[in-house]
Amino acid sequence: MKERHLGRSGLLVSRLGLGTMTWGQDTGPDEAAAQLVAFAEAGGTLVDTADVYCDGDSERILGALLREVVDRDSLVVATKAAIRPNGRYDGSRRHLLRALDASLDRMDLDHVDLWQLHVYDPATPLEETLSALDEAVASGRARYVGVSNYAGWQVAKAAAWQRAWPGRAPIVSAQLEYSLLSRDIEREVVPAALDAGAGLLPFSPLGRGVLTGKYRTGIPAGSRAAAPRFADFVQPYLDEECARIVESVVTAAEGLGVSPLSVALAWVRDRPGVAAPVVGARTAAQLEAILDSEDLTLPNEIRSALDDVSDMSPAHQ
C-alpha cells in the first residue's frame, strides 16, 4: 500500500486507514485480529480508534493486538478524546489529559502517534482545549495532533492559534465525513485544511455503506440499515438523489470491471488534501474487498463524470 505525508507534517501514513469503531461490539477480538493482520500484511499502517468507541473496548482490543499480533512500531496509532462517556462534549484541559492517560492505559502504550480532538466544545475556550494538545506533545504522550468533526472556521482558528507562537503543536489532520454522497466539507473545511497544512482523514468514505450498492433493491437482512441502532445513520442516504449517484458508481464499476466499493473509495482517496480515508469493516472478508481498491486509479473521464453527478451545490440542483 502506498504512503502519504499527513498534511504538511513529516508523518507518513498508509493511504487507507483502518477504523475500529465497532471493535468490541460488532467485531470481536478474533475478527479484529484477522483484520489487523490482513491490513498490516497489505502495507497498511494507520489505525484509528477513540476513547468512547464501545466504552473503551476498541482501545483495549487494539492494545492487546499490538502486544500479541502485530508489531506496534509498524503502525501509526491514532485515537481521539473530547466526549465524555455520557455523550457530553468536554474540551477542558482537565478532561482531555485525563482521557489521554486513560487511552494509553487501555492500550498499554507510552504514546500515540496521532491524538485528535473528537469534537469542538463551544463551552470551553479554544485556547484551553489546544493547550492540552501542546502538553500531550511536550510530554511525549502524543507525537502529532489533529481535529475531528470541526467546521471550516474552527479548523482555521485552531490551526492559526497553533501557528501563532513557537513551540505549539501544529494541527496536522482533520477527520470528517466525506464521500460521493457527502461533499459538504468541500465548501469550507477542505480549503481551510489545505491552507492549514492539515491532511484530511475522511470517515464513512463509502457513504455509510450505501455506495457499495447493497441497498439498490432494498434493505438486506444483516445490513446496518436493518439494525435498529444504525437505521437512522444509514437512512439519509437512501433517497432518490443518492440512488442516482449510486447507479452512476455501479455503471462506472461495471465499465472498469471492479466493484462499486473500489470506485467510491478510489474517488475520495484521491481528492485534493486527502491523506487517507478511514474505513471500518465488520469482518476480515469485508476488509479484503476494501483492500482490493488499492490498485485502482480512476480514469479522468470517469472521475469527472462522478464529480458532476455527485455535485449537490445549488447550481447543479
Side-chain angles (χ1 to χ4, degrees):
M1 191 180 300
K2 295 180 181 178
E3 291 184 309
R4 292 171 171 166
H5 281 97
L6 186 56
R8 287 200 292 267
S9 77
L11 180 62
L12 283 170
V13 297
S14 54
R15 64 175 187 170
L16 180 68
L18 178 61
T20 66
M21 186 175 69
T22 63
W23 287 16
Q25 188 169 43
D26 295 334
T27 304
D30 291 343
E31 192 63 50
Q35 288 186 25
L36 189 60
V37 168
F39 181 68
E41 289 180 346
T45 62
L46 176 63
V47 182
D48 181 75
T49 186
D51 61 343
V52 293
Y53 288 170
C54 299
D55 297 324
D57 284 343
S58 173
E59 290 183 331
R60 292 186 187 95
I61 291 173
L62 177 57
L65 296 180
L66 294 177
R67 293 189 300 273
E68 303 166 5
V69 177
V70 175
D71 178 21
R72 185 267 180 269
D73 290 338
S74 69
L75 298 178
V76 175
V77 177
T79 193
K80 312 178 196 74
I83 303 177
R84 291 188 184 182
N86 62 8
R88 177 184 170 185
Y89 295 177
D90 191 342
S92 69
R93 181 184 175 95
R94 176 178 183 270
H95 170 76
L96 289 173
L97 292 175
R98 291 179 67 181
L100 176 56
D101 288 339
S103 290
L104 294 175
D105 285 344
R106 281 189 289 271
M107 291 186 282
D108 193 22
L109 298 176
D110 62 3
H111 75 277
V112 292
D113 300 296
L114 176 64
W115 189 43
Q116 302 154 98
L117 299 171
H118 206 158
V119 292
Y120 181 86
D121 175 18
T124 301
L126 183 59
E127 56 268 31
E128 177 182 340
T129 296
L130 295 174
S131 73
L133 302 186
D134 296 334
E135 172 63 22
V137 173
S139 66
R141 286 175 280 178
R143 298 294 187 254
Y144 297 86
V145 292
V147 298
S148 179
N149 297 300
Y150 270 41
W153 70 268
Q154 294 163 351
V155 173
K157 184 176 180 180
W161 179 267
Q162 294 303 94
R163 289 196 304 262
W165 297 98
R168 289 179 180 161
I171 302 298
V172 303
S173 67
Q175 187 171 156
L176 298 102
E177 183 170 5
Y178 190 21
S179 75
L180 279 160
L181 301 183
S182 179
R183 296 180 59 185
D184 290 346
I185 71 166
E186 292 178 353
R187 296 189 179 97
E188 294 185 2
V189 178
V190 172
L194 288 171
D195 181 71
L200 295 169
L201 300 174
F203 64 79
S204 294
L206 299 176
R208 307 181 186 183
V210 174
L211 287 165
T212 64
K214 70 171 71 176
Y215 299 107
R216 294 171 70 204
T217 58
I219 299 177
S223 67
R224 279 192 168 187
R229 70 177 183 276
F230 284 121
D232 290 343
F233 180 67
V234 179
Q235 190 62 43
Y237 292 160
L238 298 180
D239 61 15
E240 292 184 3
E241 182 66 21
C242 290
R244 182 175 62 85
I245 297 170
V246 171
E247 290 305 313
S248 296
V249 171
V250 171
T251 298
E254 290 173 346
L256 294 170
V258 299
S259 68
L261 180 156
S262 292
V263 170
L265 193 52
W267 180 88
V268 71
R269 182 197 67 206
D270 295 331
R271 296 296 290 175
V274 170
V278 177
V279 184
R282 283 183 296 171
T283 67
Q286 289 179 344
L287 180 60
E288 290 289 353
I290 291 169
L291 295 174
D292 286 344
S293 69
E294 170 65 17
D295 294 330
L296 177 63
T297 299
L298 295 179
N300 289 335
E301 59 272 20
I302 289 180
R303 175 171 292 280
S304 179
L306 292 175
D307 289 350
D308 289 343
V309 76
S310 62
D311 191 337
M312 295 183 182
S313 63
H316 288 78
Q317 297 297 307

